[in-house]
Amino acid sequence: MTLREAQAVVDRWITTVGVRYFSPLTNMAVLAEEVGEVARVMARRYGDQSFKPGEEDTLADELADVMWVVLAIANQSGVDLTEALARNIEKKTLRDRDRHKNNHKLSD
């Protein structure tokens, strides 16, 4: 599924099953909440914390939740994420062409 297709799927779901979009501010709060859930799983999977009894490693699901809300925010803001991502990659490529190669912290 492409980003454009994913945006369309999310839009169809929200406008049928979900009834309507939440307000942009509510979606921003939901995004912050979902990113926090990713952080919780990462802290347990890769950090010093451990999973609580009965708690599962749900990283894939939490990342999908983040993507869902980002797609929804893009839809309601009129952002084509396919185009935006392409422009962003081009920007980073031009800006960081030599930056990471010359970063001694990243050398083996």
Side-chain angles (χ1 to χ4, degrees):
M1 179 182 311
T2 67
L3 283 173
R4 195 166 283 132
E5 291 166 341
Q7 280 188 251
V9 167
V10 167
D11 183 67
R12 276 191 303 276
W13 191 95
I14 289 172
T15 56
T16 57
V17 178
V19 180
R20 67 170 178 82
Y21 281 84
F22 295 147
S23 71
L25 186 55
T26 297
N27 273 337
M28 184 61 237
V30 171
L31 178 59
E33 178 183 354
E34 296 300 348
V35 169
E37 291 176 8
V38 169
R40 177 183 45 75
V41 173
M42 295 291 288
R44 285 157 175 72
R45 182 189 272 202
Y46 300 108
D48 296 326
Q49 291 188 336
S50 60
F51 287 99
K52 297 172 188 167
E55 189 177 32
E56 295 182 31
D57 183 336
T58 57
L59 184 58
D61 190 53
E62 301 304 345
L63 288 170
D65 285 343
V66 169
M67 285 184 62
W68 176 276
V69 180
V70 168
L71 292 164
I73 292 171
N75 286 346
Q76 70 188 149
S77 303
V79 172
D80 180 328
L81 283 173
T82 299
E83 291 177 12
L85 183 60
R87 285 192 309 272
N88 189 269
I89 290 169
E90 182 179 345
K91 175 188 77 174
K92 284 175 172 47
T93 300
L94 291 171
R95 181 189 66 203
D96 300 330
R97 178 174 284 119
D98 296 317
R99 177 175 165 225
H100 299 298
K101 288 184 228 173
N102 296 329
N103 181 348
H104 71 280
K105 295 176 186 178
L106 298 177
S107 62
D108 292 333

